Amino acid sequence: MVTLYQRGGPATGMPTRTEQGDLLFAIRAGHSETPRLVLASGDLVEAFYDAVQAFNYAERYQTVVVHLVDKALASTTCTVPPFDLEAIRIERGELFVPPADTDGRNGYKRFALTASGISPRALLGQPGGTHWLTGGEHTELGRVTEDPGVREQMMEKRARKMELALREIPREEKFKVYGDAEAPFTVMSWGSNKGAILEALQRLADDGLAARLVQVRLLWPFPADDLQPFLDSADPLVVVETNYSGQFAQLLRAQTGRASDYLVVKYNGRPISGEELYRALCAIARGCDERRLVLRNPWE
Amino acid sequence: MVTATTPKITAKDYRVEHANDWCPGCGDFGILNALQQAVAGLGLRPHQVAVFGGIGCSGKAMYYLPVYGVHTLHGRVLSFATGAKLANPELTVIAVGGDGDGLGIGAGHFVNTGRRNVDLTYILFNNEVYGLTKGQAAPTLAMGLQPKSLPEPNIQGQINPLLLAMAVGFTWIGRGYAYNVKHLVELIQKAIRHPGLAYLDVLQPCPTYNDLHTRDWYAGKDRGDGRPRLYLLEKEGYDPVIPADADAATIAAKTQQFIAKAQEWDDRIPLGVFLENRAVPHF
Ligand code: SF4
């Protein structure tokens, strides 16, 4: 489980300033096509429960889970309701139950090819569960191999885990919808922009303009099918991000074919405020010509 | 379950039928053999042992043992081993790796593992070259030496792993020799039994790339009088123990004695337990 706290680059960049510049990095980091889940929290309460869930998913899918937060979120202090610790479940995923009388190696296949892609896991020290773990491509026993057939089987096995995750993870964990759920005016975003967007949406509602926020929380594997109805009915589709290039908008387009109608970005290290976003959304509602709106802090 | 009726465990139970790609005559075979005898001799069953391998020829040792064998990331073997020991203190945790893995890319992990007296054993296969990548100079190769893969003599200085291990806090420090298996078995068992962080340096001839420090060189065959270079500390009455209640003067004296022994090389090379520090609390 990796907590990735984003801040401005390059290199040391702006170590005490915020950015959402690592989304595509989180999804693609590393060589080859290593499966992983990427979750992004929108506020501190989400961050608490998502951290727990990230550990659970790492064990359930036996793969890397990246929990994306950013400087703005990490440095925020606020009062929240007490966390519901009773509701928290620690999952260990599928565990290997050895035959009672075994000792040492008994042919246990740590990486057994299963329909789900998940192989029951023995815990280090458990009788009957000894095996090899390696970063090399491996057989079902954990033996390093470069056999082309085994490589295909293992690539497919790992890919099945991601398909399973997309099927199993409930919709409300993939994304949340706020505001007027039926409104065509759609803001789509991720991470800590949530607070500013909710504030801006409230002000638009006060003005009589119905709008909705689709806050995507599972960024990888990408919940394209679940989002489709919202993309179909979005008019306009406004993507809001704290980065220069609109990484979420790129991802959305790559995964669904749907381009954003407007992209609102901010990349000066400061978080987006409700006020400036409200003004940008008003301009969009009036049908402004610009398709990419940059939020700035002229007073700083 | 280990019960009274469980048959006695022997080194045979620690053999694995698996193709081994070490070069013929490699010192790694001696260390593997000693490791198998050591854990079997302690009565440990394979599932009670986890061996973590670094990257390099030596890091593959875990593939030839029927234990929980984890081949880790380059230079990170001690981090994995530490995590496993903290998660399951019942496990006997052994980390194995080479001089490049542990003292080159992994030097930061080596240093910081020393600060935590976790009960695990680190066996470093010290052959002074990067064997797996064709014999380049490793961090333990002395300046000015030129094993056969180097186009010029080594222009960098060397790390003395024993001195480094002591400086950063390893509480048990020993040195063995890959071709003295009987002695190495004893050292590995002592290192495992030590209730804290143990560093065992093993002089491991690499017949393929290190043509300087060979079996014959350690045996002193290049010298006129044929005096072997290796000797056993315990045969000379060396006492490595810092008692649990040692006062500052005792610790200072033991440290001095250790530093002197850790620097002996070339003419006489000590093997054995250099330091057993019982005065540091362990995790
Ligand atoms: S290259 Fe050297 S260390 Fe590696 S297996 Fe061959 S002899 Fe052993």
Side-chain angles (χ1 to χ4, degrees):
Chain A
M1 202 291 249
V2 178
T3 300
L4 173 46
Y5 157 153
Q6 304 163 94
R7 62 186 212 190
T12 306
M14 296 220 289
T16 64
R17 298 291 175 185
T18 197
E19 192 174 87
Q20 294 181 306
D22 296 353
L23 174 58
L24 297 178
F25 170 75
I27 289 169
R28 290 281 173 232
H31 58 292
S32 189
E33 300 173 300
T34 314
R36 85 281 311 263
L37 277 73
V38 179
L39 317 176
S41 303
D43 58 38
L44 292 183
V45 174
E46 284 183 24
F48 177 82
Y49 294 106
D50 287 351
V52 175
Q53 201 62 317
F55 276 108
N56 284 341
Y57 287 156
E59 300 221 20
R60 192 200 289 178
Y61 300 111
Q62 297 181 15
T63 197
V64 176
V65 178
V66 181
H67 182 205
L68 265 180
V69 293
D70 57 44
K71 167 71 191 167
L73 191 61
S75 299
T76 296
T77 308
C78 72
T79 305
V80 300
F83 296 123
D84 183 4
L85 300 181
E86 292 300 311
I88 286 176
R89 294 283 166 271
I90 295 175
E91 292 182 30
R92 296 262 97 133
E94 271 187 66
L95 295 180
F96 169 66
V97 183
D101 56 345
T102 52
D103 179 30
R105 212 167 284 277
N106 63 353
Y108 162 61
K109 291 179 174 168
R110 170 66 188 88
F111 303 100
L113 294 165
T114 59
S116 66
I118 296 168
S119 320
R121 182 168 63 104
L123 303 175
L124 264 64
Q126 182 178 330
T130 55
H131 59 270
W132 294 280
L133 289 175
T134 171
E137 187 57 280
H138 44 266
T139 65
E140 289 180 283
L141 285 172
R143 284 301 194 188
V144 171
T145 183
E146 299 197 345
D147 179 280
V150 175
R151 170 68 172 177
E152 285 170 11
Q153 288 174 328
M154 287 296 166
M155 288 292 280
E156 289 156 10
K157 166 178 150 56
R158 290 189 286 267
R160 284 202 293 281
K161 296 200 281 190
M162 293 296 95
E163 292 160 16
L164 182 69
L166 264 188
R167 283 200 302 276
E168 282 185 348
I169 293 176
R171 206 207 78 170
E172 60 274 16
E173 285 186 35
K174 290 173 175 162
F175 59 90
K176 282 187 183 159
V177 181
Y178 296 91
D180 182 343
E182 304 299 322
F185 195 108
T186 304
V187 177
M188 208 173 261
S189 191
W190 61 286
S192 71
N193 311 317
K194 176 185 175 184
I197 299 170
L198 291 181
E199 184 186 328
L201 253 49
Q202 184 57 52
R203 291 183 61 180
L204 289 179
D206 294 345
D207 294 348
L209 177 68
R212 62 186 173 182
L213 163 64
V214 179
Q215 178 213 354
V216 181
R217 290 163 34 73
L218 177 68
L219 278 312
W220 199 261
F222 196 78
D225 291 347
D226 297 278
L227 285 171
Q228 200 56 50
F230 294 86
L231 297 172
D232 291 343
S233 57
D235 182 24
L237 175 62
V238 183
V239 170
V240 176
E241 300 189 61
T242 317
N243 58 41
Y244 182 88
S245 62
Q247 295 190 17
F248 176 82
Q250 294 175 43
L251 181 65
L252 180 70
R253 189 164 189 183
Q255 295 296 315
T256 66
R258 174 66 198 261
S260 57
D261 300 315
Y262 294 90
L263 178 61
V264 180
V265 292
K266 185 166 182 179
Y267 45 84
N268 62 7
R270 275 66 181 170
I272 293 170
S273 74
E275 169 68 24
E276 63 185 344
L277 184 62
Y278 166 70
R279 276 188 262 145
L281 294 178
C282 285
I284 290 169
R286 286 193 302 270
C288 68
D289 291 336
E290 288 170 277
R291 294 284 152 165
R292 178 171 178 272
L293 289 79
V294 180
L295 305 179
R296 306 182 191 277
N297 294 86
W299 57 88
E300 282 197 48
Chain B
M1 282 297 293
V2 183
T3 63
T5 58
T6 310
K8 194 169 171 315
I9 201 99
T10 70
K12 262 204 199 107
D13 297 302
Y14 275 95
R15 296 228 179 96
V16 172
E17 290 306 317
H18 188 64
N20 187 314
D21 58 6
W22 287 333
C23 309
C26 175
D28 291 1
F29 288 104
I31 305 175
L32 176 64
N33 188 340
L35 193 50
Q36 287 165 328
Q37 291 185 41
V39 284
L42 290 173
L44 292 165
R45 313 198 83 76
H47 73 265
Q48 298 171 311
V49 181
V51 177
F52 293 78
I55 298 299
C57 300
S58 52
K60 297 182 196 168
M62 36 67 59
Y63 288 120
Y64 314 126
L65 294 161
V67 299
Y68 281 94
V70 186
H71 204 186
T72 68
L73 299 175
H74 204 2
R76 273 74 188 152
V77 67
L78 288 173
S79 311
F80 282 83
T82 300
K85 186 67 189 182
L86 296 186
N88 184 356
E90 300 299 313
L91 266 182
T92 294
V93 176
I94 301 168
V96 296
D99 35 52
D101 187 73
L103 301 167
I105 188 171
H109 293 283
F110 186 99
V111 166
N112 285 284
T113 302
R115 300 168 51 218
R116 298 175 285 263
N117 195 18
V118 176
D119 181 14
L120 56 89
T121 299
Y122 181 31
I123 304 176
L124 188 133
F125 296 31
N126 187 349
N127 60 16
E128 305 165 311
V129 293
Y130 293 148
L132 194 70
T133 58
K134 306 220 176 309
Q136 299 87 345
T140 47
L141 184 70
M143 187 184 284
L145 293 188
Q146 189 180 8
K148 67 184 185 194
S149 277
L150 267 62
E152 300 282 343
N154 186 18
I155 56 170
Q156 302 191 83
Q158 92 198 105
I159 291 172
N160 180 323
L162 303 178
L163 287 180
L164 182 64
M166 192 221 56
V168 302
F170 281 77
T171 50
W172 187 100
I173 299 170
R175 184 197 273 145
Y177 178 51
Y179 295 134
N180 188 345
V181 173
K182 188 164 163 284
H183 184 239
L184 191 53
V185 170
E186 288 166 23
L187 284 175
I188 293 174
Q189 291 182 337
K190 283 179 188 160
I192 291 174
R193 278 200 296 255
H194 173 69
L197 183 65
Y199 173 72
L200 178 58
D201 195 68
V202 184
L203 302 175
Q204 177 247 312
C206 165
T208 305
Y209 295 111
N210 190 336
D211 53 347
L212 302 177
H213 297 158
T214 61
R215 182 197 281 257
D216 285 350
W217 184 83
Y218 285 116
K221 293 205 174 147
D222 58 314
R223 311 209 263 202
D225 58 3
R227 252 185 320 121
R229 288 193 161 79
L230 300 172
Y231 75 97
L232 304 184
L233 283 172
E234 53 268 35
K235 290 240 167 100
E236 307 210 342
Y238 179 90
D239 176 12
V241 177
I242 297 181
D245 57 356
D247 56 16
T250 308
I251 293 173
K254 291 280 178 181
T255 303
Q256 286 306 324
Q257 160 189 276
F258 170 88
I259 290 172
K261 284 295 169 196
Q263 294 191 102
E264 282 184 19
W265 188 255
D266 270 334
D267 182 41
R268 297 191 80 221
I269 301 174
L271 302 178
V273 183
F274 284 64
L275 182 73
E276 184 183 331
N277 186 351
R278 300 180 187 160
V280 178
H282 61 85
F283 262 55

